[in-house]
């Protein structure tokens, strides 16, 4: 088994970004492998998911010990997401073998990244308009059917593309349960992501293109990178970093979808200008509030990363 040193270095720097922002693990690591290291799409998704399955339980245990997990909410999410994640792998395989399935996974990942960018924008918007946060997990009334559907949709997206266990699902939870505190929201999402990613990883071990050397290289680079990013995250300008993350995700999505360089630059320029104008408008209306109300400083008690803010130990995702 050979260790890919350039990939170790690349995953280290990506993991620092993930540790700083608390977001974008799979959404950054998988495109990096495909765009800069020429890893086939299915192999990139498979290896990223298996690496993430190794790391996620650590953060889940931390939140369980702190009592910031709504187990009923987690149960309904997992009821939809776990079988859907395994099915997502089969759906990717159903498109065919060889070049056809690789292109399918590549385009699916591009679409998932666009959804992740939309999720970042939606999260910012919802956080500015949410109601009072709840001080007690017992006060939260779980909505079974919408929660089940969120889990199903998120599970399929994760199974196909490795993106969405945090970036998409947590935005949907924020919309469904606006009174959840940030640590409760993050804790519940992180714990449900453990069986979700494990299911998707199992599917990719059986039917995907898992490569042990890729996964090992990811873990070697990402573990210290995530730790370093989490340690300095409380001092980082979170709003600026999230804005840069959105630009990176958008650029990655456009390249995965085959958009030309000139068109990509124009789109990024327009999106940046629109974002700056919207930011300025919101500031003039009375201050900008980035993140979830009651959110702890990112990485304050974190040893890892995740797609959502403040998540500890998200590992190589």
């Amino acid at each position: 088994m050979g260790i890919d040193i350039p990939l170790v270095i690349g995953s280290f720097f990506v993991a620092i970004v993930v540790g700083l922002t608390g977001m974008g693990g799979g959404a950054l690591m998988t495109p990096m492998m495909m765009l800069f290291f020429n890893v086939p799409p299915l192999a990139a998704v498979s290896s990223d998911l298996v690496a993430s399955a190794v790391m996620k339980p650590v953060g889940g245990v931390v939140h369980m010990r702190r009592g910031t997990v709504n187990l009923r909410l987690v149960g309904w999410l997992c009821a939809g997401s776990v079988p859907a994640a395994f099915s997502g792998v089969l759906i990717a395989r159903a498109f065919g073998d060889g070049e056809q399935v690789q292109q399918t996974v590549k385009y699916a990942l591009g679409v998932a990244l666009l959804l992740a960018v939309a999720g970042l924008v939606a999260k910012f918007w919802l956080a500015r308009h949410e109601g009072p946060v709840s001080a007690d997990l017992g006060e939260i009334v779980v909505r079974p059917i919408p929660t089940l559907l969120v889990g199903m949709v998120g599970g399929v997206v994760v199974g196909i593309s490795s993106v969405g266990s945090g970036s998409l699902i947590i935005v949907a939870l924020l919309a469904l349960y606006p009174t959840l505190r940030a640590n409760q929201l993050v804790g519940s999402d992180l714990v449900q992501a453990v069986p979700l990613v494990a299911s998707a990883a199992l599917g990719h071990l059986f039917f995907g293109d898992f490569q042990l050397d890729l996964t090992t290289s990811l873990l070697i680079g990402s573990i210290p990178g995530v730790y370093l990013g989490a340690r300095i995250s409380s001092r980082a300008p979170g709003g600026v970093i999230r804005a840069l993350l959105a630009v990176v995700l958008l650029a990655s999505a456009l390249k995965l979808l085959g958009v030309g360089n000139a068109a990509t630059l124009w789109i990024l320029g327009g999106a940046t200008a629109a974002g700056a104008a919207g930011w300025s408008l919101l500031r003039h209306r009375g201050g900008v509030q980035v993140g979830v109300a009651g959110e702890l400083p990112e990485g304050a008690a974190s040893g890892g990363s995740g797609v959502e803010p403040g998540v500890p130990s998200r590992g190589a995702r």
Side-chain angles (χ1 to χ4, degrees):
M1 179 182 66
I3 301 301
D4 190 333
I5 300 301
L7 181 57
V8 170
I9 296 173
S11 63
F12 173 77
F13 285 107
V14 168
I16 289 177
V17 176
V18 174
L20 280 169
T21 63
M23 296 176 289
L28 289 175
M29 201 70 74
T30 303
M32 178 200 71
M33 287 190 283
M34 294 166 54
L35 296 175
F36 296 102
F37 295 94
N38 297 317
V39 177
L42 193 58
V45 171
S46 299
S47 299
D48 180 40
L49 278 170
V50 174
S52 179
V54 173
M55 298 301 300
K56 280 182 178 291
V58 178
V61 169
V62 171
H63 277 280
M64 289 289 291
R65 287 178 175 176
R66 291 179 178 175
T68 56
V69 179
N70 187 315
L71 292 178
R72 189 161 184 264
L73 177 61
V74 169
W76 280 106
L77 282 172
C78 291
S81 66
V82 172
F86 194 89
S87 300
V89 184
L90 302 181
I91 292 173
R93 272 299 185 188
F95 285 100
D97 295 315
E99 184 64 25
Q100 182 180 357
V101 70
Q102 300 292 350
Q103 282 298 113
T104 299
V105 173
K106 183 177 179 180
Y107 290 144
L109 179 58
V111 172
L113 292 184
L114 289 179
L115 292 175
V117 173
L120 290 177
V121 176
K123 180 183 180 300
F124 170 77
W125 181 259
L126 289 171
R128 287 184 50 81
H129 295 83
E130 64 182 0
V133 295
S134 172
D136 186 357
L137 280 172
E139 298 176 10
I140 303 300
V141 178
V142 176
R143 302 165 62 185
I145 301 303
T147 305
L148 184 69
L149 292 176
V150 167
M152 292 175 63
V153 174
V156 170
V157 174
V158 171
I160 295 176
S161 68
S162 83
V163 178
S165 64
S167 57
L168 302 181
I169 290 180
I170 200 169
V171 173
L173 290 180
L174 183 60
L176 282 176
Y177 304 102
T179 59
L180 271 176
R181 286 186 181 274
N183 58 354
Q184 298 166 356
L185 180 69
V186 168
S188 299
D189 175 73
L190 180 57
V191 171
Q192 69 84 28
V194 173
L196 162 60
V197 173
S199 175
L202 184 63
H204 278 276
L205 283 172
F206 287 151
F207 306 108
D209 190 17
F210 167 70
Q211 297 182 17
L212 181 60
D213 54 344
L214 282 178
T215 303
T216 304
S217 299
L218 289 178
L219 288 173
I220 291 174
S222 64
I223 292 174
V226 160
Y227 178 78
L228 178 61
R231 288 295 300 270
I232 64 178
S233 62
S234 61
R235 302 179 181 89
V240 174
I241 291 175
R242 289 187 182 120
L244 292 175
L245 177 62
V247 172
V248 171
L249 294 181
L250 179 58
S252 298
L254 295 174
K255 295 307 296 180
L256 289 172
L257 293 173
V259 179
N261 292 333
T264 297
L265 290 175
W266 279 106
I267 294 173
L268 290 176
T272 302
W279 178 274
S280 177
L281 179 62
L282 289 174
R283 289 190 65 182
H284 285 305
R285 288 186 174 181
V288 176
Q289 179 182 3
V290 179
V292 185
E295 184 174 336
L296 297 174
E298 296 172 22
S302 171
S305 68
V307 182
E308 58 276 3
V311 177
S313 300
R314 294 290 285 187
R317 276 189 61 71

